[in-house]
């Protein structure tokens, strides 16, 4: 619980895709984040261990053509739906709202 931000989610990992693009052309501002909460992940995997395949949730933040910041992600409820477990789905639906709220909050500070 101490690791989670007030939103209940935290950045668990990051991968700088923009830097790797420099191998084939110009570098871009693009970072993928793994966002989640270990306690929520435990609850999901308690229902079905396969939920670990999709946790943490992946979000990419990149610079758009006009210098604007763009977030893209798949809704957790859609991503975790492939597991077909009602317990996992219910938690993922709550994550839809939680993730949307935290991204709206941070986008106001960009």
């Amino acid at each position: 619980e101490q690791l989670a931000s007030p939103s209940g989610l935290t950045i668990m990992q990051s991968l700088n895709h923009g830097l790797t693009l420099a191998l084939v052309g110009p570098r871009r501002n693009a970072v993928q984040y793994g966002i989640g909460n270990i306690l929520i992940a435990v609850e999901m995997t308690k229902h079905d261990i396969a939920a670990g395949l999709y946790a943490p949730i992946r979000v990419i933040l990149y610079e758009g053509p006009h210098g604007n910041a763009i977030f893209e992600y798949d809704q957790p409820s859609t991503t975790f739906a492939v597991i077909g477990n009602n317990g996992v789905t219910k938690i993922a639906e709550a994550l839809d709202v939680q993730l949307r709220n935290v991204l709206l909050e941070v986008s106001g500070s960009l």
Side-chain angles (χ1 to χ4, degrees), residues 16-30:
N16 190 331
H17 282 281
L19 184 60
T20 59
L21 283 172
L23 295 171
V24 295
R27 182 177 186 265
R28 293 191 55 197
N29 293 319

Side-chain angles (χ1 to χ4, degrees), residues 10 17 25 33 41 47 54 60 62 69-70 75 79 81 83 87 96 104:
T10 191
H17 282 281
Y33 295 99
H47 289 286
Y54 304 107
I60 189 162
Y62 62 93
I70 299 172
Q75 283 191 314
T79 303
I83 294 171
D96 285 349
L104 285 172

Side-chain angles (χ1 to χ4, degrees), residues 71 102-110:
F71 282 111
V102 76
L103 292 178
L104 285 172
E105 181 180 324
V106 298
S107 67
S109 64
L110 293 176

Side-chain angles (χ1 to χ4, degrees), residues 14-94:
S14 66
L15 176 62
N16 190 331
H17 282 281
L19 184 60
T20 59
L21 283 172
L23 295 171
V24 295
R27 182 177 186 265
R28 293 191 55 197
N29 293 319
V31 179
Q32 178 196 59
Y33 295 99
I35 298 176
N37 178 315
I38 192 66
L39 298 176
I40 294 171
V42 167
E43 285 300 309
M44 294 178 107
T45 55
K46 183 172 70 175
H47 289 286
D48 192 318
I49 194 70
L53 181 61
Y54 304 107
I57 302 160
R58 284 149 192 87
V59 174
I60 189 162
L61 170 61
Y62 62 93
E63 183 178 357
H66 305 291
N68 53 323
I70 299 172
F71 282 111
E72 288 199 36
Y73 64 97
D74 292 325
Q75 283 191 314
S77 61
T78 303
T79 303
F80 287 97
V82 299
I83 294 171
N85 181 294
N86 289 337
V88 172
T89 299
K90 188 173 183 174
I91 295 167
E93 288 169 348

